[in-house]
Amino acid sequence: MAVDGEDPTSWLLTPDERGNAGTRIDAAHPGRAWSTGNHVRPLVHGKTYFAELFERIEATRDGDLVFFTDWQGDADERLTGEPGSEVAEVLGRADERGVDVRGLVWRSHWEGFGFTAGENRRLGKELQDRGAEALLDMRVRMGGSHHQKMVVIRHQDDPSRDIAYVGGIDLCHSRRDDSDHHGDPQPLSMADEYGPTPPWHDIQAAISGPAVHDVETVFRERWEDPTPLSRSPVNVLSDMIHRLDRSPDPLPAQSPPPPEVPDGSHVVQLLRTYPDLRANRDYDFAHGGERSVARGYSKALAKARRIVYIEDQYLWGTHVGGVFTDALRQHEDLHVIAVVPLHPDLEGASRTAQLLGRRRAMREMIRAAPERVAIFGIENHAGTPVYVHAKTCIIDDVWATVGSDNFNRRSWTHDSELSAVVVDLAGEEATSTYARRLRLTLAAEHLDRTDSLDDCVEGVDMLAAYTESADRLDSWYAGGCVGPRPAGRLRRMFPPEIGPLRRAMALVPYLLLHDPDGRPRRLRGTDEF
């Protein structure tokens, strides 16, 4: 928890600390880089998020707005599992009712490299054929991506109903899983360990209140950026062949922020990553890029005293490991608990590069405080690994984030990212009810608990509870799975063992392809963001 009497908003970045003089994201609250009077609900699991999103979009009417961004999209993904709930159908129906539907979908790299250019193009094409304006956006660095995943819904007649969703869940296959973790019936192919319907763990934040306006501003800045959606002649020709729109139409004037939520105690700060695109390709709203994700985490981790709880897809690299190492060395009571995938998502050459990145971060952290750092993966009750795609971090039950960014240099500098930080002013003794509730909700699932979680309230106790649960399950497997399977889904993880030759061979693809640096040249080779 925070120091008694400390203002929890002191954990947040100031407008100057955001480091982007070109943005208007904070214009609605001058002097503050956050909004107050909000209510945020973490939606754990894609099935939960998709069901609510379906209802919210279906309830929109003539004159309302639906804006979205997506890294990966599948037109036929069913939000509820039922016919008629497909992403393109739901958004298309909304546009035909008079809703202004706009989307920015990452164009994606070629399918031959394991990406989803064809499906993303299909989503854009189907929506354009229905009258919605969904554009393929490739305003990124070489090898980069637009990784933001958000939906904004605004109502012409009742702004109190406005809502924004920010997090890690794409509108695509494999995401519609629940707490049982049997996977989405519409799966994507992954590494063999995850089976035919890969189990998927993810989180999206549902935001009500003035912060909806801030999320909408993020979309508007990207939409109104005058830089061409793609400069590639190949892409221009492809769009002509597929008759895809390449020219964003003007947006309607932005409405004022929604009213504060009654008893809304959540302060929301949006953190973003945009790379340095250089010279005439640079973003109109982020000259030199924006690295408030990296800056926000760095500031909050410097204040950490008791517990850092992470669920993340990657947790890679020396830059990330160094931030944690500094905090662990400075504060002897600090404990770090991380939940990550048991295995990389892909087979082949990329796997070694991913393991190298994981090894770098894990080794640094564990060396700094071997008794105060523990890393876990999760599996379902059938023993199938669950792919952890969630991106959340909770520090001292004061500062909590849900977003699209991972703990790696790519997310902190190279791709576009969006994360929502929440500080809850209604907490007791500077403890955020929101942050603690989210942390314990996740603990209850991983420990298979329906009863008290008193032994997880303090960081050192939660680390012990996780370790004991994982050790019981690991021992059951080591003993030949004799007797009933112990409760819990956690498995202990340690830095991957990779031989010197394999490490050397993986280093270049890791640095250039998996974890590149999108900072301006003057910052490269430093620990500054």
Side-chain angles (χ1 to χ4, degrees):
M1 63 180 63
V3 177
D4 287 346
E6 182 183 23
D7 180 0
T9 62
S10 67
W11 288 57
L12 304 173
L13 297 179
T14 66
D16 287 342
E17 288 172 334
R18 181 184 291 282
N20 181 4
T23 183
R24 65 178 191 271
I25 190 174
D26 299 320
H29 31 78
R32 292 184 285 111
W34 60 83
S35 64
T36 58
N38 305 286
H39 182 69
V40 183
R41 293 174 294 115
L43 305 179
V44 183
H45 308 306
K47 189 173 183 179
T48 303
Y49 168 47
F50 281 178
E52 177 169 322
L53 184 63
F54 174 81
E55 291 184 0
R56 292 281 189 160
I57 295 177
E58 287 287 279
T60 55
R61 294 294 179 263
D62 184 17
D64 294 344
L65 305 178
V66 175
F67 296 161
F68 74 95
T69 66
D70 216 7
W71 176 78
Q72 181 174 342
D74 285 295
D76 63 341
E77 173 67 15
R78 292 178 172 178
L79 296 178
T80 68
E82 300 298 324
S85 68
E86 296 83 1
V87 169
E89 177 64 25
V90 171
L91 291 170
R93 282 200 304 264
D95 191 85
E96 291 164 358
R97 290 194 301 271
V99 179
D100 191 346
V101 178
R102 315 274 186 123
L104 288 170
V105 182
W106 178 47
R107 181 177 288 275
S108 184
H109 304 309
W110 180 50
E111 292 95 330
F113 295 140
F115 292 95
T116 58
E119 289 303 315
N120 287 12
R121 183 174 60 244
R122 177 188 168 196
L123 175 60
K125 175 65 173 171
E126 289 199 15
L127 288 175
Q128 288 183 24
D129 289 346
R130 295 289 293 266
E133 194 172 13
L135 307 178
L136 298 180
D137 189 355
M138 201 60 167
R139 292 171 288 195
V140 297
R141 285 180 69 95
M142 179 70 70
S145 70
H146 276 305
H147 199 239
Q148 296 173 343
K149 304 111 187 282
M150 70 171 115
V151 178
V152 178
I153 303 175
R154 302 210 62 181
H155 301 86
Q156 181 176 248
D157 62 339
D158 185 4
S160 67
R161 295 168 54 217
D162 292 352
I163 193 164
Y165 299 97
V166 171
I169 304 180
D170 302 279
L171 303 177
C172 72
H173 294 165
S174 268
R175 274 45 171 181
R176 189 169 54 84
D177 199 1
D178 58 21
S179 60
D180 290 333
H181 289 308
H182 297 307
D184 187 337
Q186 295 176 275
L188 291 171
S189 177
M190 291 179 63
D192 289 345
E193 292 95 340
Y194 293 100
T197 54
W200 195 274
H201 179 68
D202 223 327
I203 307 176
Q204 199 84 352
I207 303 170
S208 300
V212 172
H213 183 274
D214 298 345
V215 182
E216 181 188 0
T217 299
V218 176
F219 178 89
R220 285 176 175 267
E221 286 187 335
R222 277 184 56 187
W223 185 273
E224 295 168 351
D225 185 13
T227 307
L229 292 169
S230 173
R231 295 177 180 270
S232 166
V234 175
N235 290 338
V236 173
L237 179 60
S238 174
D239 290 347
M240 291 175 62
I241 292 172
H242 293 97
R243 298 182 179 179
L244 289 175
D245 185 5
R246 293 177 51 87
S247 302
D249 291 340
L251 294 171
Q254 188 171 12
S255 298
E260 293 192 356
V261 177
D263 299 321
S265 61
H266 296 165
V267 175
V268 175
Q269 177 166 77
L270 298 183
L271 303 179
R272 301 181 296 181
T273 300
Y274 290 113
D276 173 30
L277 291 183
R278 305 189 194 103
N280 63 341
R281 296 180 60 242
D282 212 357
Y283 297 112
D284 189 55
F285 56 87
H287 295 297
E290 179 177 322
R291 290 166 295 282
S292 56
V293 165
R295 293 179 175 206
Y297 277 116
S298 298
K299 183 173 183 176
L301 285 167
K303 286 179 168 286
R305 298 294 184 272
R306 304 291 295 174
I307 180 171
V308 179
Y309 181 82
I310 303 160
E311 294 193 359
D312 193 70
Q313 182 182 6
Y314 293 130
L315 191 60
W316 282 356
T318 52
H319 275 86
V320 168
V323 174
F324 286 98
T325 298
D326 291 344
L328 287 162
R329 286 175 174 160
Q330 291 173 15
H331 306 293
E332 61 182 19
D333 292 328
L334 180 63
H335 295 76
V336 175
I337 302 170
V339 177
V340 300
L342 282 164
H343 308 282
D345 55 338
L346 299 174
E347 307 280 1
S350 70
R351 171 166 287 209
T352 304
Q354 290 193 31
L355 291 174
L356 176 61
R358 178 180 289 186
R359 172 186 169 90
R360 286 180 155 208
M362 287 185 179
R363 281 168 60 90
E364 282 196 28
M365 294 162 61
I366 292 173
R367 281 176 173 174
E371 303 300 321
R372 294 184 282 124
V373 175
I375 301 166
F376 304 89
I378 53 176
E379 65 178 32
N380 65 17
H381 292 148
T384 304
V386 176
Y387 191 69
V388 178
H389 192 257
K391 300 101 167 46
T392 190
C393 179
I394 302 161
I395 302 178
D396 284 357
D397 288 344
V398 175
W399 186 98
T401 180
V402 172
S404 69
D405 55 276
N406 296 294
F407 276 96
N408 60 9
R409 189 173 59 183
R410 172 181 280 276
S411 276
W412 285 18
T413 69
H414 194 270
D415 294 345
S416 74
E417 305 285 2
L418 176 65
S419 190
V421 175
V422 174
V423 170
D424 188 353
L425 300 183
E428 298 180 359
E429 298 180 356
T431 296
S432 166
T433 303
Y434 169 91
R436 177 167 290 180
R437 185 180 295 126
L438 173 57
R439 179 168 64 82
L440 295 182
T441 295
L442 296 168
E445 176 180 320
H446 303 329
L447 294 170
D448 278 332
R449 294 278 192 88
T450 57
D451 55 356
S452 171
L453 285 164
D454 289 345
D455 60 341
C456 290
V457 173
E458 295 298 327
V460 62
D461 296 333
M462 185 176 187
L463 188 148
Y466 269 40
T467 300
E468 291 168 7
S469 178
D471 286 349
R472 284 194 298 269
L473 189 53
D474 290 341
S475 296
W476 181 74
Y477 277 112
C481 305
V482 177
R485 181 186 186 279
R489 313 179 189 195
L490 294 159
R491 305 294 304 274
R492 285 293 298 271
M493 295 182 65
F494 300 94
E497 293 296 330
I498 309 173
L501 179 59
R502 291 178 65 210
R503 291 203 305 270
M505 293 177 63
L507 182 59
V508 172
Y510 166 71
L511 293 175
L512 295 182
L513 300 178
H514 292 277
D515 207 18
D517 194 338
R519 293 176 295 175
R521 287 192 177 92
R522 60 183 172 81
L523 294 180
R524 296 189 186 184
T526 75
D527 293 327
E528 299 298 321
F529 294 99

